[in-house]
Amino acid sequence: MRFNKIYIFFITMLMTVLSISAQDWANLERFKAANAALEKAPNLENRIVFMGNSITEIWSTVSPNFFKNEAYINRGISGQTTPQMLIRFRQDVIDLHPKVVVILAGTNDIAGNTGPSTLTMIMDNIASMAEIAEANGIKVVLSSVLPAFDYPWKPGLNPNKKIPELNTMIKAYATKKGHVYLDYFSAMADDRNGLPKAYAEDEVHPTKAGYAVMEPLAKAAIVEALNSK
């Protein structure tokens, strides 16, 4: 029953994203008011922005204590792909003047949420976000895509094969450019290169137990980025 409720929630979220696509494809209005409020808030010395999709968005709901640190700002939007994130990157990351951005993106591209996309196209968009951040003096943490054996809403795309390949590309780029690579995949994948039910009931979106694995890894990566030259 709980799985059904979670599945219905994400299908509803996806339909909402699709319904506004003609008017606001990148969902630029989503955080407009919240971003304006942050402009009036006291500057936080170590403000951190988390850019991502539903895995980032629901983090604040499933494991709210993690984001009680007021320096952590969640800018995840369910269903989003890397081109959508790239379009809203300036207003939802750069204009917030963070010290670090944590980018977690790519799984929805593989799922084809906004149309067909090659791994190179996905990597290009992630690289573009990293380059924009670096050009604005923001340290970059590039996250591995979380494991997924299959997508419940779009089966048969073999993400268990494509995600490891994309992660290899992300890690290589991070190493080349001196960014921090945040490896969730190795800590969470099962022997199918999937996300086990112990960490995600639908095998895609983490439960509290899944986020409990991710949180210390994210914190360590942020500290590494803050201390990097």
Side-chain angles (χ1 to χ4, degrees):
M1 179 64 71
R2 180 173 172 79
F3 172 80
N4 288 338
K5 289 182 179 179
I6 292 174
Y7 184 70
I8 291 170
F9 169 77
F10 286 112
I11 290 296
T12 301
M13 292 295 293
L14 179 59
M15 292 304 294
T16 300
V17 170
L18 293 175
S19 70
I20 65 169
S21 62
Q23 293 77 30
D24 184 5
W25 186 73
N27 212 338
L28 295 171
E29 289 292 316
R30 173 63 183 276
F31 295 113
K32 186 176 180 179
N35 290 343
L38 281 174
E39 288 181 5
K40 301 176 183 178
N43 287 329
L44 300 174
E45 184 178 355
N46 291 321
R47 182 179 283 180
I48 314 297
V49 174
F50 288 73
M51 167 61 81
N53 49 46
S54 59
I55 293 170
T56 297
E57 179 181 3
I58 67 170
W59 199 336
S60 296
T61 301
V62 177
S63 186
N65 286 338
F66 185 71
F67 282 92
K68 282 187 176 178
N69 179 346
E70 62 181 4
Y72 286 2
I73 301 168
N74 189 324
R75 288 297 178 264
I77 297 180
S78 292
Q80 283 214 326
T81 56
T82 57
Q84 292 172 305
M85 294 181 204
L86 180 56
I87 288 173
R88 65 183 180 89
F89 196 79
R90 181 166 295 279
Q91 68 172 46
D92 287 346
V93 177
I94 303 304
D95 291 349
L96 303 183
H97 307 292
K99 287 291 183 70
V100 177
V101 59
V102 181
I103 301 171
L104 173 54
T107 199
N108 287 328
D109 302 64
I110 292 173
N113 280 17
T114 52
S117 183
T118 66
L119 298 185
T120 298
M121 290 164 63
I122 300 168
M123 188 64 244
D124 284 348
N125 289 329
I126 292 173
S128 292
M129 286 188 274
E131 288 166 9
I132 294 169
E134 186 176 27
N136 284 273
I138 299 168
K139 302 293 179 63
V140 178
V141 174
L142 295 178
S143 308
S144 70
V145 179
L146 268 63
F149 180 72
D150 208 358
Y151 298 124
W153 67 94
K154 203 166 185 181
L157 295 177
N158 300 315
N160 63 321
K161 297 178 181 179
K162 296 173 183 175
I163 288 173
E165 187 177 346
L166 177 58
N167 286 339
T168 297
M169 297 167 71
I170 295 171
K171 183 177 182 180
Y173 176 84
T175 300
K176 179 181 179 181
K177 297 294 185 178
H179 302 314
V180 176
Y181 178 66
L182 171 50
D183 188 4
Y184 295 128
F185 188 93
S186 296
M188 303 180 81
D190 60 20
D191 58 7
R192 311 167 304 155
N193 281 340
L195 189 58
K197 289 185 180 293
Y199 296 147
E201 291 182 9
D202 66 353
E203 300 187 17
V204 175
H205 300 91
T207 58
K208 192 173 182 64
Y211 287 118
V213 176
M214 296 169 63
E215 287 169 4
L217 297 174
K219 288 180 179 179
I222 290 166
V223 170
E224 182 180 350
L226 287 171
N227 291 333
S228 64
K229 294 183 179 179

